[in-house]
Amino acid sequence: MSGTSMATPHVAGVAALLAERRPDWTGAQLKDALMSTSQRLDASAYTLGAGRVSVPAAVDAAITATGSADLGFHAWPYEENEPVARTLTYRNSSDTDVELTLSAEGAPRASPCSPTPP
């Protein structure tokens, strides 16, 4: 067995542990924590999803981010496509202030943006 047949019970188990640790979190917050703390693998998210789920990272995460942002389908020819913008939310569930340094890989340089507090 491989693929989703093996991944689904593992992710469900980690989600249950995380829900036990954070009973006030919504399903979306649990998903964000699972996705934003997963270990990045050597293939695209379209092939392997968000990566390898990590029990300690998910359960102990103080900082989580929006797990996914659908940028839509862009058809050929690309000249007619419009730029797409999505909001990514970073959540600090600890009692300590944090400072984040963010960067993007594989994207064209965009105009500067500044974080907006929730």
Side-chain angles (χ1 to χ4, degrees):
M1 294 182 85
S2 64
T4 56
S5 297
M6 292 301 294
T8 301
H10 289 257
V11 174
V14 178
L17 292 170
L18 184 57
E20 182 179 23
R21 171 68 69 90
R22 309 280 190 175
D24 56 322
W25 282 11
T26 66
Q29 287 174 300
L30 295 172
K31 179 181 176 181
D32 288 347
L34 291 171
M35 292 180 75
S36 65
T37 60
S38 64
Q39 180 183 9
R40 190 170 168 183
L41 299 174
D42 61 353
S44 80
Y46 297 106
T47 303
L48 297 176
R52 182 176 294 127
V53 70
S54 169
V55 176
V59 171
D60 296 333
I63 307 300
T64 58
T66 302
S68 63
D70 182 7
L71 300 177
F73 177 76
H74 298 278
W76 181 263
Y78 297 121
E79 294 82 23
E80 296 179 16
N81 292 323
E82 295 294 324
V84 177
R86 295 290 182 264
T87 300
L88 300 178
T89 302
Y90 289 85
R91 182 171 281 112
N92 179 4
S93 59
S94 74
D95 295 329
T96 307
D97 289 343
V98 297
E99 183 176 319
L100 302 176
T101 302
L102 307 175
S103 65
E105 294 179 19
R109 187 160 179 81
S111 60
C113 64
S114 59
T116 304

XYZ file of all heavy atoms in Angstrom:
855
model
N 0.835 -1.178 0.000
C 0.000 0.000 0.000
C 0.880 1.240 0.000
O 1.928 1.279 0.635
C -0.892 0.015 1.233
C -1.916 -1.098 1.264
S -2.965 -0.992 2.728
C -4.191 0.141 2.143
N 0.413 2.253 -0.688
C 1.160 3.507 -0.720
C 0.190 4.642 -1.031
O -0.992 4.427 -1.238
C 2.254 3.449 -1.783
O 1.665 3.322 -3.064
N 0.734 5.855 -1.069
C -0.072 7.014 -1.433
C -1.128 7.340 -0.406
O -0.918 7.213 0.796
N -2.307 7.742 -0.908
C -3.367 8.182 0.004
C -3.873 7.048 0.884
O -4.379 7.293 1.975
C -4.550 8.800 -0.770
O -5.025 7.852 -1.721
C -4.135 10.079 -1.457
N -3.740 5.800 0.437
C -4.182 4.675 1.258
C -3.414 4.612 2.571
O -3.945 4.185 3.591
C -3.988 3.348 0.506
O -4.779 3.324 -0.644
N -2.172 5.022 2.549
C -1.357 5.038 3.764
C -1.368 6.407 4.426
O -1.313 6.503 5.650
C 0.083 4.631 3.447
C 0.221 3.182 3.045
S -0.371 2.045 4.311
C 0.797 2.313 5.611
N -1.428 7.462 3.659
C -1.345 8.815 4.224
C -2.589 9.185 5.012
O -2.493 9.813 6.072
C -1.112 9.837 3.107
N -3.758 8.808 4.533
C -5.008 9.232 5.167
C -5.099 8.842 6.638
O -5.388 9.695 7.481
C -6.222 8.704 4.373
O -6.140 9.224 3.046
C -7.528 9.124 5.012
N -4.841 7.582 7.015
C -4.936 7.257 8.442
C -3.872 7.952 9.284
O -4.131 8.307 10.437
C -4.784 5.738 8.492
C -4.308 5.310 7.166
C -4.623 6.401 6.190
N -2.707 8.194 8.717
C -1.656 8.893 9.457
C -2.061 10.344 9.717
O -1.925 10.851 10.835
C -0.325 8.840 8.693
C 0.289 7.481 8.688
N 1.347 7.147 9.493
C -0.013 6.379 7.972
C 1.666 5.883 9.287
N 0.859 5.398 8.370
N -2.533 11.021 8.690
C -2.940 12.420 8.836
C -4.146 12.518 9.774
O -4.205 13.416 10.628
C -3.245 13.061 7.464
C -3.813 14.464 7.620
C -1.974 13.089 6.612
N -5.078 11.595 9.672
C -6.244 11.603 10.566
C -5.813 11.424 12.018
O -6.354 12.080 12.922
C -7.229 10.505 10.165
N -4.823 10.568 12.248
C -4.316 10.368 13.603
C -3.655 11.618 14.156
O -3.885 12.000 15.312
N -2.850 12.282 13.342
C -2.203 13.524 13.778
C -3.253 14.606 14.013
O -3.181 15.361 14.988
C -1.137 13.998 12.761
C -0.512 15.308 13.211
C -0.066 12.939 12.581
N -4.274 14.666 13.150
C -5.351 15.649 13.328
C -6.084 15.397 14.646
O -6.432 16.347 15.356
C -6.324 15.584 12.150
N -6.296 14.134 15.009
C -6.957 13.815 16.278
C -6.104 14.246 17.466
O -6.618 14.808 18.436
C -7.255 12.318 16.348
N -4.788 13.997 17.400
C -3.890 14.439 18.475
C -3.889 15.959 18.590
O -3.919 16.510 19.696
C -2.465 13.943 18.207
C -2.241 12.433 18.306
C -0.855 12.074 17.781
C -2.433 11.950 19.732
N -3.871 16.627 17.457
C -3.863 18.089 17.443
C -5.184 18.643 17.986
O -5.186 19.599 18.767
C -3.604 18.592 16.022
C -3.466 20.092 15.827
C -2.356 20.671 16.688
C -3.192 20.384 14.348
N -6.298 18.039 17.610
C -7.604 18.482 18.102
C -7.715 18.280 19.613
O -8.348 19.077 20.306
C -8.722 17.730 17.377
N -7.083 17.235 20.122
C -7.086 17.010 21.574
C -6.274 18.093 22.285
O -6.671 18.592 23.333
C -6.511 15.632 21.895
C -6.516 15.308 23.372
C -5.965 13.932 23.676
O -5.189 13.394 22.853
O -6.305 13.397 24.730
N -5.145 18.482 21.695
C -4.286 19.515 22.279
C -4.915 20.899 22.155
O -4.749 21.750 23.014
C -2.919 19.490 21.586
C -1.965 20.617 21.909
C -1.417 20.620 23.336
N -0.510 19.567 23.641
C 0.805 19.588 23.507
N 1.391 20.657 23.011
N 1.538 18.566 23.848
N -5.619 21.152 21.050
C -6.212 22.474 20.759
C -7.721 22.347 20.529
O -8.209 22.537 19.409
C -5.570 23.079 19.510
C -4.063 23.100 19.496
C -3.541 24.236 20.300
N -2.092 24.347 20.061
C -1.355 25.285 20.544
N -1.895 26.220 21.287
N -0.072 25.317 20.304
N -8.501 22.014 21.561
C -9.943 21.776 21.365
C -10.724 23.003 20.906
O -11.821 22.861 20.364
C -10.419 21.307 22.747
C -9.390 21.796 23.700
C -8.091 21.842 22.940
N -10.163 24.197 21.079
C -10.857 25.418 20.657
C -10.611 25.761 19.190
O -11.229 26.680 18.660
C -10.437 26.592 21.546
C -8.933 26.801 21.562
O -8.188 25.795 21.567
O -8.494 27.965 21.582
N -9.729 25.045 18.506
C -9.438 25.335 17.106
C -10.523 24.779 16.201
O -11.070 23.705 16.431
C -8.087 24.750 16.707
C -6.909 25.551 17.158
C -6.901 26.591 18.036
C -5.556 25.360 16.753
N -5.620 27.061 18.201
C -4.782 26.323 17.434
C -4.925 24.474 15.903
C -3.407 26.428 17.264
C -3.556 24.571 15.736
C -2.805 25.541 16.400
N -10.801 25.511 15.122
C -11.751 25.057 14.112
C -11.082 24.016 13.213
O -9.859 23.841 13.245
C -12.219 26.232 13.233
O -11.087 26.710 12.474
C -12.822 27.354 14.064
N -11.889 23.362 12.389
C -11.336 22.417 11.423
C -10.339 23.084 10.484
O -9.302 22.512 10.142
N -10.643 24.316 10.073
C -9.735 25.061 9.186
C -8.404 25.349 9.885
O -7.337 25.242 9.269
C -10.379 26.357 8.725
N -8.453 25.697 11.171
C -7.212 25.962 11.910
C -6.388 24.684 12.063
O -5.158 24.719 11.977
C -7.523 26.554 13.285
C -8.006 27.987 13.220
C -8.442 28.484 14.589
O -9.357 27.932 15.195
N -7.774 29.522 15.068
N -7.050 23.563 12.301
C -6.337 22.286 12.394
C -5.660 21.962 11.062
O -4.492 21.568 11.021
C -7.298 21.159 12.786
C -7.932 21.263 14.175
C -9.005 20.199 14.346
C -6.879 21.154 15.262
N -6.400 22.145 9.970
C -5.835 21.888 8.638
C -4.648 22.809 8.372
O -3.607 22.364 7.871
C -6.907 22.092 7.561
C -6.408 21.875 6.152
C -7.513 22.114 5.143
C -6.981 21.998 3.722
N -8.028 22.255 2.731
N -4.796 24.092 8.699
C -3.688 25.039 8.501
C -2.453 24.605 9.281
O -1.335 24.657 8.772
C -4.095 26.450 8.926
C -5.072 27.103 7.961
O -5.255 26.586 6.836
O -5.651 28.136 8.343
N -2.647 24.164 10.521
C -1.512 23.732 11.339
C -0.858 22.490 10.746
O 0.372 22.393 10.687
C -1.958 23.462 12.766
N -1.652 21.540 10.283
C -1.095 20.327 9.684
C -0.299 20.654 8.420
O 0.801 20.146 8.212
C -2.205 19.328 9.344
C -2.912 18.686 10.529
C -4.116 17.889 10.052
C -1.957 17.813 11.315
N -0.855 21.526 7.589
C -0.194 21.848 6.327
C 1.030 22.743 6.526
O 2.066 22.536 5.893
C -1.183 22.519 5.374
C -2.275 21.578 4.899
S -3.440 22.368 3.790
C -2.457 22.468 2.289
N 0.918 23.728 7.404
C 2.024 24.689 7.536
C 3.184 24.161 8.360
O 4.254 24.762 8.369
C 1.529 26.028 8.096
O 1.049 25.890 9.412
N 3.004 23.031 9.034
C 4.115 22.441 9.797
C 4.638 21.164 9.158
O 5.514 20.516 9.713
C 3.685 22.133 11.251
O 2.587 21.202 11.231
C 3.289 23.394 11.991
N 4.108 20.794 8.002
C 4.577 19.567 7.351
C 5.972 19.764 6.776
O 6.389 20.877 6.470
C 3.604 19.138 6.251
O 3.559 20.103 5.228
N 6.686 18.652 6.660
C 8.046 18.697 6.115
C 7.971 18.693 4.597
O 7.370 17.805 3.991
C 8.841 17.487 6.599
C 10.256 17.457 6.086
C 10.991 16.204 6.530
O 10.402 15.288 7.085
N 12.278 16.174 6.280
N 8.579 19.690 3.994
C 8.575 19.816 2.533
C 9.334 18.647 1.910
O 10.411 18.280 2.373
C 9.220 21.136 2.167
C 9.072 21.503 0.741
C 9.531 22.915 0.563
N 9.665 23.228 -0.827
C 10.109 24.374 -1.272
N 10.473 25.302 -0.424
N 10.192 24.596 -2.554
N 8.769 18.096 0.846
C 9.391 16.973 0.156
C 9.946 17.421 -1.186
O 9.849 18.588 -1.550
C 8.374 15.837 0.001
C 7.841 15.288 1.328
C 6.734 14.270 1.093
C 8.961 14.673 2.143
N 10.519 16.484 -1.932
C 11.245 16.829 -3.151
C 10.386 16.870 -4.417
O 10.919 16.855 -5.520
C 12.413 15.872 -3.344
C 11.973 14.424 -3.498
O 10.767 14.146 -3.321
O 12.830 13.575 -3.788
N 9.074 16.909 -4.280
C 8.204 17.007 -5.451
C 7.170 18.098 -5.199
O 7.033 18.592 -4.082
C 7.518 15.666 -5.718
N 6.444 18.453 -6.226
C 5.477 19.547 -6.106
C 4.301 19.162 -5.218
O 4.016 17.981 -4.999
C 4.962 19.945 -7.484
O 3.954 19.041 -7.907
N 3.600 20.172 -4.742
C 2.402 19.942 -3.930
C 1.334 19.218 -4.736
O 0.496 18.509 -4.165
C 1.865 21.273 -3.414
N 1.352 19.352 -6.055
C 0.383 18.656 -6.895
C 0.654 17.157 -6.915
O -0.238 16.363 -7.156
C 0.398 19.216 -8.316
C -0.015 20.663 -8.362
C 0.916 21.664 -8.573
C -1.340 21.030 -8.164
C 0.542 22.996 -8.594
C -1.727 22.365 -8.182
C -0.779 23.335 -8.400
O -1.154 24.648 -8.420
N 1.896 16.768 -6.662
C 2.268 15.362 -6.644
C 2.161 14.765 -5.246
O 1.626 13.681 -5.075
C 3.718 15.190 -7.158
O 3.811 15.753 -8.459
C 4.115 13.736 -7.205
N 2.680 15.478 -4.250
C 2.783 14.921 -2.898
C 2.004 15.672 -1.834
O 2.160 15.398 -0.651
C 4.262 14.865 -2.477
C 5.163 13.972 -3.307
C 6.600 14.093 -2.858
C 4.710 12.525 -3.219
N 1.198 16.624 -2.200
C 0.459 17.382 -1.197
C 1.366 18.356 -0.459
O 2.401 18.775 -0.977
N 0.994 18.707 0.762
C 1.734 19.712 1.530
C 3.060 19.188 2.062
O 3.882 19.960 2.527
C 0.877 20.207 2.692
N 3.265 17.891 2.021
C 4.518 17.314 2.514
C 4.254 16.228 3.529
O 3.141 15.721 3.653
N 5.289 15.871 4.280
C 5.178 14.811 5.287
C 4.698 15.417 6.598
O 5.320 16.311 7.157
C 6.526 14.133 5.502
C 6.441 12.991 6.505
C 7.770 12.247 6.636
N 8.062 11.589 5.366
C 9.210 11.744 4.695
N 10.161 12.529 5.167
N 9.402 11.130 3.560
N 3.572 14.914 7.088
C 3.007 15.416 8.334
C 3.966 15.109 9.487
O 4.626 14.077 9.503
C 1.594 14.822 8.572
C 1.642 13.342 8.890
C 0.874 15.565 9.652
N 4.055 16.054 10.412
C 4.956 15.906 11.556
C 4.151 16.057 12.844
O 3.621 17.134 13.122
C 6.055 16.966 11.503
O 6.776 16.999 12.716
N 4.068 14.982 13.624
C 3.310 15.036 14.874
C 3.865 16.102 15.816
O 3.130 16.991 16.256
C 3.275 13.657 15.569
C 2.570 13.752 16.916
C 2.586 12.639 14.682
N 5.176 16.078 16.141
C 5.674 17.089 17.086
C 5.509 18.509 16.570
O 5.126 19.413 17.323
C 7.158 16.742 17.257
C 7.336 15.381 16.716
C 6.216 15.152 15.751
N 5.777 18.727 15.291
C 5.680 20.086 14.739
C 4.241 20.586 14.784
O 3.984 21.732 15.143
C 6.213 20.120 13.308
N 3.285 19.743 14.428
C 1.884 20.160 14.414
C 1.354 20.398 15.826
O 0.697 21.400 16.093
C 1.028 19.107 13.706
N 1.657 19.502 16.735
C 1.131 19.597 18.098
C 1.761 20.755 18.869
O 1.095 21.420 19.658
C 1.317 18.257 18.838
C 0.998 18.377 20.312
C 0.444 17.180 18.196
N 3.041 21.015 18.625
C 3.746 22.066 19.370
C 3.800 23.407 18.646
O 4.406 24.346 19.152
C 5.175 21.612 19.683
C 5.200 20.405 20.603
O 4.242 20.226 21.379
O 6.179 19.634 20.550
N 3.166 23.520 17.493
C 3.260 24.741 16.689
C 2.658 25.941 17.414
O 1.533 25.890 17.887
C 2.558 24.552 15.355
N 3.447 26.989 17.501
C 2.939 28.259 18.032
C 2.513 29.166 16.879
O 1.577 29.933 17.000
C 4.008 28.941 18.873
N 3.208 29.050 15.752
C 2.915 29.870 14.574
C 2.398 28.948 13.472
O 3.035 27.963 13.125
C 4.181 30.587 14.054
C 4.860 31.362 15.163
C 3.846 31.464 12.857
C 4.010 32.435 15.784
N 1.235 29.277 12.935
C 0.699 28.540 11.795
C 0.299 29.546 10.725
O 0.109 30.723 11.005
C -0.516 27.678 12.189
O -1.520 28.511 12.753
C -0.126 26.586 13.175
N 0.201 29.048 9.504
C -0.154 29.910 8.373
C -1.291 29.291 7.600
O -1.571 28.095 7.733
C 1.056 30.085 7.459
N -1.935 30.095 6.771
C -2.943 29.574 5.870
C -2.327 28.386 5.139
O -1.253 28.513 4.546
C -3.364 30.645 4.846
O -3.839 31.779 5.553
C -4.430 30.127 3.907
N -2.973 27.240 5.209
C -2.399 26.025 4.646
C -2.345 25.988 3.140
O -1.413 25.456 2.561
N -3.345 26.548 2.481
C -3.348 26.529 1.018
C -4.019 27.789 0.484
O -4.852 28.386 1.156
C -4.076 25.285 0.498
O -5.427 25.308 0.888
N -3.641 28.138 -0.706
C -4.232 29.303 -1.367
C -4.415 28.943 -2.838
O -3.447 28.856 -3.588
C -3.332 30.525 -1.223
N -5.641 28.687 -3.237
C -5.931 28.317 -4.617
C -5.749 29.530 -5.516
O -6.419 30.547 -5.341
C -7.358 27.794 -4.718
C -7.723 27.350 -6.129
O -6.845 27.318 -7.009
O -8.904 27.033 -6.347
N -4.832 29.424 -6.450
C -4.572 30.528 -7.377
C -5.293 30.344 -8.703
O -5.086 31.105 -9.641
C -3.068 30.679 -7.592
C -2.271 30.972 -6.326
C -0.789 31.040 -6.625
C -2.745 32.234 -5.649
N -6.141 29.331 -8.789
C -6.951 29.129 -9.975
C -6.213 28.439 -11.106
O -5.069 28.022 -10.974
N -6.883 28.324 -12.229
C -6.328 27.696 -13.426
C -5.986 28.777 -14.434
O -6.815 29.639 -14.720
C -7.335 26.716 -14.031
C -6.850 26.097 -15.302
C -5.895 25.086 -15.273
C -7.338 26.518 -16.518
C -5.441 24.518 -16.447
C -6.885 25.957 -17.706
C -5.935 24.950 -17.662
N -4.792 28.734 -14.947
C -4.349 29.729 -15.923
C -4.124 29.045 -17.263
O -3.248 28.200 -17.395
C -3.077 30.430 -15.426
C -3.317 31.160 -14.142
N -3.869 32.410 -14.107
C -3.127 30.796 -12.859
C -4.002 32.799 -12.855
N -3.562 31.839 -12.076
N -4.948 29.407 -18.227
C -4.915 28.759 -19.537
C -3.914 29.427 -20.477
O -3.562 30.595 -20.317
C -6.309 28.797 -20.154
N -3.495 28.665 -21.449
C -2.618 29.161 -22.497
C -3.459 29.912 -23.497
O -4.563 29.473 -23.783
C -1.929 27.967 -23.153
C -0.976 28.355 -24.228
C -1.218 28.382 -25.561
C 0.360 28.782 -24.049
N -0.128 28.797 -26.239
C 0.879 29.054 -25.322
C 1.188 28.985 -22.960
C 2.171 29.498 -25.525
C 2.463 29.414 -23.172
C 2.950 29.672 -24.440
N -3.134 30.995 -24.071
C -1.888 31.753 -23.861
C -1.965 32.587 -22.579
O -3.013 33.114 -22.220
C -1.811 32.662 -25.090
C -3.243 32.870 -25.493
C -3.967 31.598 -25.109
N -0.861 32.692 -21.897
C -0.813 33.337 -20.592
C -0.974 34.855 -20.644
O -1.288 35.466 -19.644
C 0.499 32.999 -19.876
C 0.640 31.525 -19.575
C 1.702 30.797 -20.063
C -0.306 30.875 -18.804
C 1.823 29.447 -19.781
C -0.199 29.533 -18.513
C 0.880 28.816 -19.007
O 0.990 27.491 -18.725
N -0.758 35.465 -21.807
C -0.837 36.917 -21.910
C -2.191 37.466 -21.476
O -2.302 38.583 -21.007
C -0.534 37.397 -23.338
C 0.888 37.148 -23.787
C 1.095 35.718 -24.283
O 0.118 35.046 -24.685
O 2.248 35.264 -24.240
N -3.250 36.684 -21.616
C -4.596 37.157 -21.280
C -4.953 36.950 -19.809
O -5.980 37.417 -19.346
C -5.613 36.459 -22.168
C -5.440 36.817 -23.635
C -6.454 36.102 -24.520
O -7.450 35.583 -23.995
O -6.226 36.076 -25.738
N -4.138 36.244 -19.067
C -4.420 35.986 -17.656
C -4.141 37.213 -16.812
O -3.202 37.954 -17.056
C -3.574 34.820 -17.136
C -3.980 33.508 -17.765
O -5.149 33.277 -18.004
N -3.008 32.653 -18.020
N -4.961 37.419 -15.826
C -4.793 38.529 -14.889
C -4.046 38.036 -13.650
O -4.181 36.879 -13.263
C -6.163 39.067 -14.467
C -6.959 39.688 -15.593
C -6.327 40.956 -16.132
O -5.756 41.717 -15.322
O -6.390 41.195 -17.351
N -3.274 38.913 -13.001
C -2.610 38.519 -11.753
C -3.651 38.109 -10.695
O -4.773 38.604 -10.693
C -1.883 39.788 -11.309
C -1.747 40.600 -12.548
C -2.942 40.269 -13.395
N -3.256 37.197 -9.830
C -4.137 36.692 -8.788
C -3.528 37.043 -7.438
O -2.324 36.894 -7.233
C -4.289 35.159 -8.900
C -5.146 34.615 -7.778
C -4.868 34.780 -10.252
N -4.344 37.514 -6.531
C -3.882 37.835 -5.175
C -4.694 37.034 -4.165
O -5.901 36.859 -4.334
C -4.044 39.324 -4.898
N -4.037 36.518 -3.156
C -4.698 35.801 -2.072
C -4.118 36.285 -0.752
O -2.952 36.667 -0.672
C -4.483 34.289 -2.172
C -5.116 33.649 -3.391
C -6.633 33.650 -3.280
N -7.256 33.005 -4.397
C -7.730 33.623 -5.459
N -7.618 34.924 -5.578
N -8.307 32.955 -6.428
N -4.924 36.239 0.284
C -4.475 36.627 1.619
C -3.971 35.399 2.360
O -4.669 34.384 2.425
C -5.640 37.261 2.416
O -6.079 38.417 1.714
C -5.195 37.634 3.816
N -2.764 35.491 2.883
C -2.215 34.447 3.739
C -2.238 34.973 5.165
O -1.797 36.083 5.430
C -0.777 34.108 3.335
C -0.586 33.613 1.913
C 0.889 33.357 1.643
C -1.397 32.357 1.665
N -2.758 34.164 6.063
C -2.865 34.577 7.454
C -1.880 33.798 8.302
O -1.822 32.563 8.212
C -4.298 34.330 7.980
O -5.213 35.052 7.158
C -4.442 34.771 9.421
N -1.118 34.500 9.103
C -0.201 33.872 10.067
C -0.813 34.054 11.441
O -1.203 35.147 11.811
C 1.191 34.504 9.988
C 1.891 34.132 8.717
C 1.665 34.856 7.551
C 2.735 33.038 8.658
C 2.264 34.499 6.371
C 3.347 32.675 7.474
C 3.101 33.404 6.335
O 3.697 33.037 5.166
N -0.906 32.971 12.195
C -1.553 33.008 13.509
C -0.538 32.606 14.580
O 0.121 31.579 14.464
C -2.732 32.035 13.514
C -3.507 32.007 14.795
C -4.777 31.199 14.665
N -5.796 32.007 13.994
C -6.274 31.769 12.772
N -5.840 30.759 12.070
N -7.193 32.550 12.244
N -0.427 33.438 15.595
C 0.445 33.171 16.744
C -0.446 32.720 17.890
O -1.178 33.513 18.464
C 1.221 34.435 17.114
C 2.115 34.233 18.309
O 2.228 33.143 18.849
N 2.760 35.299 18.739
N -0.382 31.442 18.250
C -1.213 30.925 19.334
C -0.470 30.886 20.662
O -0.975 30.357 21.636
C -1.744 29.532 18.983
O -0.674 28.643 18.750
N 0.730 31.463 20.692
C 1.490 31.519 21.940
C 1.205 32.835 22.654
O 0.499 33.703 22.140
C 2.989 31.399 21.664
O 3.485 32.603 21.108
N 1.752 32.977 23.828
C 1.613 34.215 24.601
C 2.781 35.166 24.366
O 2.881 36.202 25.010
C 1.520 33.896 26.098
C 0.264 33.113 26.433
O -0.754 33.313 25.737
O 0.297 32.310 27.382
N 3.676 34.807 23.450
C 4.883 35.573 23.193
C 4.812 36.239 21.827
O 4.394 35.619 20.850
C 6.112 34.632 23.222
O 6.109 33.908 24.448
C 7.401 35.400 23.084
N 5.219 37.506 21.772
C 5.293 38.187 20.478
C 6.365 37.527 19.618
O 7.383 37.061 20.129
C 5.647 39.658 20.665
C 4.506 40.456 21.274
O 3.362 39.966 21.251
O 4.771 41.555 21.783
N 6.143 37.483 18.315
C 7.114 36.928 17.384
C 7.312 37.895 16.226
O 6.453 38.716 15.936
C 6.687 35.547 16.830
C 6.592 34.518 17.934
C 5.386 35.647 16.074
N 8.443 37.778 15.571
C 8.725 38.544 14.360
C 9.030 37.546 13.262
O 9.863 36.658 13.438
C 9.930 39.457 14.583
C 10.237 40.328 13.393
C 11.376 41.296 13.657
O 11.419 41.867 14.760
O 12.219 41.451 12.751
N 8.335 37.658 12.145
C 8.510 36.741 11.031
C 9.271 37.410 9.902
O 9.051 38.587 9.620
C 7.153 36.273 10.502
C 6.227 35.575 11.497
C 4.887 35.269 10.838
C 6.867 34.307 12.026
N 10.138 36.659 9.255
C 10.810 37.093 8.041
C 10.297 36.192 6.933
O 10.492 34.981 6.985
C 12.339 36.967 8.180
O 12.757 37.746 9.289
C 13.033 37.427 6.911
N 9.608 36.761 5.958
C 8.951 35.980 4.923
C 9.643 36.141 3.587
O 10.199 37.189 3.286
C 7.493 36.421 4.797
C 6.685 36.428 6.095
C 5.292 36.996 5.842
C 6.611 35.045 6.690
N 9.583 35.086 2.780
C 10.109 35.146 1.421
C 9.295 34.193 0.552
O 8.611 33.313 1.061
C 11.591 34.760 1.395
O 11.751 33.407 1.773
N 9.378 34.372 -0.746
C 8.674 33.506 -1.694
C 9.692 32.935 -2.668
O 10.620 33.621 -3.084
C 7.612 34.288 -2.441
N 9.494 31.679 -3.022
C 10.366 31.019 -3.989
C 9.599 30.745 -5.266
O 8.427 30.380 -5.217
C 10.872 29.687 -3.420
C 11.783 29.834 -2.237
C 12.238 28.484 -1.708
O 12.157 27.486 -2.449
O 12.682 28.435 -0.558
N 10.249 30.945 -6.396
C 9.657 30.593 -7.669
C 8.591 31.537 -8.180
O 7.888 31.223 -9.124
N 8.450 32.674 -7.576
C 7.448 33.639 -8.020
C 8.139 34.877 -8.562
O 9.213 35.240 -8.099
C 6.540 34.024 -6.853
N 7.530 35.533 -9.544
C 8.119 36.778 -10.022
C 8.091 37.827 -8.914
O 7.244 37.777 -8.025
C 7.234 37.193 -11.188
C 6.009 36.392 -11.075
C 6.309 35.185 -10.229
N 8.996 38.740 -8.977
C 9.066 39.790 -7.960
C 7.790 40.631 -8.020
O 7.384 41.099 -9.058
C 10.289 40.658 -8.200
C 10.528 41.663 -7.114
C 11.982 42.126 -7.157
N 12.236 43.108 -6.157
C 12.481 42.836 -4.881
N 12.489 41.602 -4.481
N 12.728 43.791 -4.024
N 7.164 40.803 -6.869
C 5.918 41.562 -6.788
C 6.163 42.857 -6.044
O 7.220 43.072 -5.468
C 4.856 40.729 -6.068
N 5.150 43.692 -6.049
C 5.277 44.953 -5.312
C 5.321 44.650 -3.816
O 4.753 43.667 -3.362
C 4.100 45.857 -5.631
O 2.898 45.234 -5.276
N 6.005 45.476 -3.051
C 6.110 45.236 -1.608
C 4.744 45.278 -0.937
O 3.842 45.975 -1.384
C 6.983 46.388 -1.094
C 7.471 47.108 -2.295
C 6.683 46.675 -3.471
N 4.615 44.503 0.105
C 3.382 44.525 0.870
C 3.738 44.572 2.353
O 4.851 44.283 2.738
C 2.519 43.312 0.576
S 3.272 41.755 1.067
N 2.787 44.988 3.130
C 3.037 45.019 4.563
C 1.970 44.211 5.259
O 0.828 44.147 4.819
C 3.018 46.457 5.069
O 1.778 47.049 4.785
N 2.340 43.519 6.342
C 1.364 42.705 7.052
C 0.272 43.568 7.674
O 0.520 44.697 8.092
C 2.182 41.999 8.120
C 3.557 42.546 8.055
C 3.653 43.490 6.913
N -0.911 43.016 7.709
C -2.040 43.684 8.347
C -2.435 42.879 9.568
O -2.784 41.701 9.421
C -3.236 43.768 7.371
O -2.794 44.423 6.177
C -4.386 44.523 7.991
N -2.378 43.459 10.747
C -2.781 42.691 11.939
C -4.254 42.321 11.868
O -5.051 43.073 11.299
C -2.537 43.671 13.094
C -1.745 44.793 12.525
C -1.939 44.781 11.051
N -4.604 41.138 12.424
C -6.010 40.702 12.377
C -6.908 41.600 13.217
O -6.537 42.289 14.078
C -5.975 39.300 12.940
C -4.661 39.130 13.602
C -3.750 40.217 13.079
